[in-house]
Amino acid sequence: MKCIYIDPPYNTTENAFAYKNQYKHSSWLSLINDRLQKSYGFLKRDGVCAVAIDDTESSVLRMLLAEVFGSENYVSTIGVEVNPAGQNLRPNTPARSHDYFHVYAKNIDEMNMLLRGLTPEEEKAYKEKDDEGFFLWDNLRRRGGNS
């Protein structure tokens, strides 16, 4: 496999999953660790693994991914806005409005991520320019198929 994408539920209210919802930290980590360990062997040397997560377990998931893939194979963490209005979990705290995608390579020196090209409409919107070329300032958020 060239790419493994995992979007594990955590404290979800969905009932469609074949395991107990609302796992607590150590049980949830054991579940994810098992999946990552088994998946690692299927990943090609130039492959990547991306795991989506919210704030709740982001830091411990990063440590687990570094243990499985090696901290030297960390590629990036991408913040994606999923709820522009945000979700207040506690009074008097900022609303959380994003998830993270932690990306690790099996071997960072061999991996090659192919990012999608720009649509003609997007190319017209890119008015800022630096040494790397034209770019657009925009919020990261899910917008559908290619987001």
Side-chain angles (χ1 to χ4, degrees):
M1 281 189 259
K2 294 275 286 186
C3 179
I4 295 172
Y5 172 73
I6 302 173
D7 188 358
Y10 183 82
N11 285 345
T12 178
T13 58
E14 293 292 322
N15 292 320
F17 301 103
Y19 59 86
K20 178 184 168 190
N21 282 324
Q22 299 176 340
Y23 270 113
K24 296 302 174 199
H25 303 288
S26 61
S27 298
W28 183 84
L29 272 177
S30 293
L31 175 88
I32 299 306
N33 182 45
D34 180 57
R35 271 71 182 165
L36 288 172
Q37 295 289 345
K38 289 179 180 178
S39 298
Y40 184 85
F42 292 110
L43 198 59
K44 290 185 174 187
R45 284 189 52 80
D46 61 345
V48 297
C49 177
V51 185
I53 195 70
D54 66 8
D55 286 321
T56 308
E57 293 291 346
S58 181
S59 60
V60 291
L61 178 61
R62 267 290 298 277
M63 287 190 291
L64 179 60
L65 285 162
E67 184 177 312
V68 173
F69 288 90
S71 59
E72 70 279 5
N73 290 310
Y74 171 69
V75 175
S76 181
T77 295
I78 302 166
V80 179
E81 186 176 47
V82 294
N83 181 355
Q87 176 186 20
N88 276 355
L89 300 179
R90 291 185 176 87
N92 300 319
T93 62
R96 296 178 182 175
S97 63
H98 59 278
D99 283 351
Y100 303 97
F101 292 106
H102 297 306
V103 183
Y104 278 77
K106 188 162 189 178
N107 184 325
I108 199 161
D109 295 325
E110 293 185 31
M111 74 110 198
N112 183 20
M113 293 179 69
L114 298 175
L115 305 176
R116 77 168 177 89
L118 302 177
T119 66
E121 296 80 24
E122 289 169 333
E123 287 178 357
K124 290 177 189 172
Y126 283 55
K127 301 194 185 318
E128 303 287 335
K129 186 176 182 181
D130 64 11
D131 293 340
E132 301 291 321
F134 288 95
F135 65 92
L136 170 72
W137 285 106
D138 196 9
N139 293 324
L140 290 175
R141 57 179 252 236
R142 291 184 189 162
R143 291 192 169 102
N146 281 326
S147 62

